[in-house]
Amino acid sequence: MNIAIVGTGYVGLVTGTCFAETGACVTCIDTNVEKINSLKKGIIPIYEPGLEDMVQRNVKAGRLSFSTSLEECLDKVSIVFSAVGTPPNEDGSADLQYVLEVARTIGATMTKYVLVVTKSTVPVGTAKKVKAVIEEEQRKRGVNIEFDVASNPEFLKEGNAINDFMTPDRVVVGVESEKAKELMSRLYRPFLLNNFRVIFMDIPSAEMTKYAANSMLATRISFMNDIANLCELVGADVNMVRSGIGSDTRIGRKFLYPGCGYGGSCFPKDVKALIKTAEEHGYTMRVLKMVEEVNEAQKDILFRKLSAYYQGDLKGKTIAMWGLAFKPETDDMREAPALVLIQKLLEAGCQVRAYDPAAMEEAKRRVGDSVYYARDMYDALLDADALLMVTEWKEFRLPAWGVIKKTMNRPVIFDGRNIYDMQELTEQGITYHCIGK
C-alpha cells in the first residue's frame, strides 16, 4: 500500500517510519527543505530511541522516502495522513491553519479517490472542516472527485514511541464510510494479526478520544500532586498513599507519581484545547481548569522549597539542575518545569549550572547563555549550594554520593521526582527534600 505522511515532526516521522517497517511504501512530506534534505541523508531532527536506525533501514529498503511536494505524490497514494502541527493559539484553542492548508492542497490537486486521515491532535469537528475545504477546492476546479476523511489519533509516548506504535494498547480509527474502514483495516492488518485492538468508531468520537485520554492522564498527575502537597502538611507519606490507592484495581498504579509538574507537547496543549472547545459550546470543564491550575503551581514547587530552605535569601547562590527535558528519553522542553525553575532562579539572583543527557542544545536555543551548561552531571555540581533533580533520567538514579558531597558547596538535594531514598541520603550526610513527604 502506498501512503503519504504530511509533516515530519515527532508524530509524522514516527508514524511514517513505523508504517514502512510493516511493509507499506511511505512518502514523508514537509515544506521545510532543510529538514527533508537532512532526512534524506539519514539525519534525524528529533531525539527518539531507535528511530534513526529504523529510518535508515527502511530508506535503504526503498519503503521510506522524503519529499517537499504533496502534489507530486498525490496520484500515487491511496491514503494521506495529515500529521502537521496544531500549536495552541493565545486563547488555548488549537491552530488549524496547517491542517486546513493540507486539505486545500489535496482538494486543488487530487485527480482520483484518496482517503484523508487526520493524525494530528485536533478538536472535535475538524474532520468536517477538512472535508468542507476539500469540497470547496474541488468546486473551484469544477470537479467532483470521490474522497473520504477519517480520524486516527496518535497515542505515542515520547521516549517510547516506536514500541507504542508497533505494540499499541489500542488503535482508534474514526470513519464515516465502509470504503474508508476497509482501507484502514488493510493498513492496520499487521497489527490485527498480532491481536492488537483496532477500534472503529465515528469521527467525532475518535477526535474526542484523544483529548479525553490525555486529559485523564493529566488529571491523575495533578490529583497526585495535590495529594502530595497535603501529605506534607499533615505528616503523611505520599509514596505510601500512592501504593495504597494504586493497589485498588479500579484505580491502578499508572500516572500516580507526584512530582514537579507535567509538560511536553501533548498534555498542556490538549488540556487547554479541550477547555476551549467546551467554552465554544457553552460548557465549562471545571475539573480540567483546576488540573491546569494545579500543574502550573506545581512547576515552581522546587523553587519554593529551595527558597524556604535558604529563608528567601538566594542571591548569589549556585544551583545545580539535573534534567531539562520535560521527561526522560527525549530532548523536548515544551512546557517543561525546568524552564519555570530557571526563570525563577535567575530572577532570584542565582547562578544555574544545568545538565541533561539529551536536551542541552534545545535548552541553549530556549534559554541562551543565561545558565552554565555542564559537561556532565558532576560538573553541574561544582560549588553548588543545592541540587534540583528535575528529570528522572536513568543515569541520575544511582549517583556517587561521595563525589556529590565533595563537589558541592553544601550537600542538599531537592528531588522533584522522588527517585531517591530519604534514609539513605540522611545516612550519607546529605540533606534531602522531596515531594509529598
Side-chain angles (χ1 to χ4, degrees):
M1 180 179 286
N2 295 328
I3 66 173
I5 311 284
V6 184
T8 58
Y10 185 84
V11 173
L13 187 56
V14 171
T15 298
T17 305
C18 288
F19 274 137
E21 185 76 3
T22 65
C25 291
V26 182
T27 303
C28 287
I29 298 158
D30 202 294
T31 57
N32 187 322
V33 177
E34 183 179 347
K35 181 188 286 189
I36 290 298
N37 288 337
S38 295
L39 285 166
K40 286 179 178 178
K41 298 174 184 177
I43 302 171
I44 308 301
I46 59 175
Y47 179 85
E48 179 62 38
L51 182 59
E52 184 173 349
D53 289 341
M54 187 178 283
V55 168
Q56 293 173 353
R57 180 168 64 249
N58 283 282
V59 168
K60 186 176 181 180
R63 293 188 298 268
L64 181 62
S65 60
F66 302 96
S67 173
T68 57
S69 175
L70 174 59
E71 297 91 333
E72 289 180 2
C73 73
L74 197 54
D75 284 345
K76 304 171 187 175
V77 301
S78 53
I79 304 176
V80 176
F81 282 87
S82 178
V84 293
T86 55
N89 290 311
E90 289 186 7
D91 63 358
S93 62
D95 184 350
L96 298 178
Q97 63 171 312
Y98 305 112
V99 172
L100 298 180
E101 184 58 37
V102 172
R104 271 188 280 273
T105 300
I106 293 171
T109 309
M110 62 186 297
T111 59
K112 66 176 186 63
Y113 173 89
V114 67
L115 172 59
V116 182
V117 184
T118 302
K119 196 71 176 171
S120 309
T121 301
V122 295
V124 177
T126 299
K128 288 183 179 180
K129 295 179 180 179
V130 168
K131 187 174 184 178
V133 167
I134 294 174
E135 290 174 341
E136 175 62 25
E137 290 300 319
Q138 287 201 24
R139 278 194 293 271
K140 292 178 182 178
R141 297 166 57 199
V143 300
N144 185 20
I145 303 167
E146 182 188 5
F147 71 96
D148 277 309
V149 295
S151 174
N152 181 208
E154 55 85 17
F155 298 97
L156 306 177
K157 297 188 295 290
E158 293 190 42
N160 196 48
I162 290 175
N163 184 63
D164 284 346
F165 195 100
M166 302 303 288
T167 58
D169 293 326
R170 78 291 197 203
V171 176
V172 172
V173 183
V175 295
E176 59 181 11
S177 76
E178 284 300 317
K179 188 169 185 177
K181 183 177 180 180
E182 191 275 332
L183 269 174
M184 294 299 284
S185 295
R186 281 174 52 198
L187 180 62
Y188 277 109
R189 190 158 293 142
F191 301 89
L192 291 167
L193 292 173
N194 290 323
N195 295 318
F196 297 126
R197 293 186 296 167
V198 179
I199 305 172
F200 285 96
M201 60 183 68
D202 61 273
I203 292 176
S205 296
E207 291 173 332
M208 177 61 81
T209 296
K210 169 64 176 181
Y211 281 106
N214 278 354
S215 294
M216 172 57 77
L217 297 176
T219 298
R220 288 172 69 96
I221 294 171
S222 282
F223 173 78
M224 282 310 298
N225 283 334
D226 237 4
I227 292 294
N229 294 339
L230 182 57
C231 282
E232 291 189 15
L233 297 174
V234 302
D237 183 342
V238 73
N239 291 322
M240 298 294 184
V241 175
R242 180 177 60 81
S243 179
I245 66 174
S247 55
D248 186 328
T249 56
R250 297 169 300 175
I251 298 173
R253 299 180 182 276
K254 293 184 178 180
F255 284 82
L256 291 184
Y257 293 90
C260 51
Y262 62 76
S265 61
C266 294
F267 289 4
K269 176 172 71 72
D270 293 353
V271 168
K272 287 182 174 67
L274 193 52
I275 291 171
K276 184 62 180 178
T277 296
E279 290 175 352
E280 291 170 352
H281 288 79
Y283 186 76
T284 301
M285 301 293 285
R286 289 167 291 179
V287 172
L288 285 188
K289 282 193 170 185
M290 292 310 301
V291 166
E292 186 177 42
E293 184 177 321
V294 168
N295 188 61
E296 289 307 305
Q298 199 72 9
K299 286 183 179 181
D300 67 2
I301 191 169
L302 292 185
F303 176 81
R304 297 198 305 269
K305 287 176 176 288
L306 175 70
S307 182
Y309 179 79
Y310 278 109
Q311 298 179 328
D313 182 18
L314 293 176
K315 187 174 180 62
K317 296 290 190 297
T318 298
I319 307 301
M321 286 180 60
W322 280 358
L324 295 165
F326 86 95
K327 62 178 286 188
E329 303 300 334
T330 182
D331 60 352
D332 196 343
M333 287 188 66
R334 284 173 286 186
E335 303 278 351
L339 293 173
V340 174
L341 287 170
I342 288 172
Q343 181 181 352
K344 294 276 187 181
L345 292 169
L346 294 177
E347 289 174 352
C350 297
Q351 297 179 4
V352 180
R353 300 177 65 89
Y355 175 73
D356 187 285
M360 300 288 267
E361 291 303 317
E362 179 64 13
K364 291 175 184 177
R365 187 181 72 82
R366 289 178 175 271
V367 182
D369 59 1
S370 59
V371 306
Y372 170 79
Y373 298 100
R375 296 185 300 273
D376 55 46
M377 57 191 283
Y378 296 109
D379 181 35
L381 301 177
L382 187 61
D383 295 328
D385 296 294
L387 165 63
L388 306 185
M389 218 302 300
V390 184
T391 313
E392 65 274 32
W393 286 90
K394 291 178 182 177
E395 67 184 76
F396 298 155
R397 294 184 180 181
L398 290 173
W401 302 121
V403 173
I404 288 176
K405 288 194 292 183
K406 290 180 181 178
T407 306
M408 295 182 69
N409 181 39
R410 180 177 294 187
V412 54
I413 296 176
F414 295 86
D415 183 357
R417 300 299 176 184
N418 287 6
I419 66 172
Y420 301 130
D421 181 80
M422 180 177 289
Q423 182 176 344
E424 179 185 3
L425 267 69
T426 301
E427 291 173 354
Q428 291 283 344
I430 297 173
T431 302
Y432 179 69
H433 301 266
C434 61
I435 309 293
K437 189 175 181 179

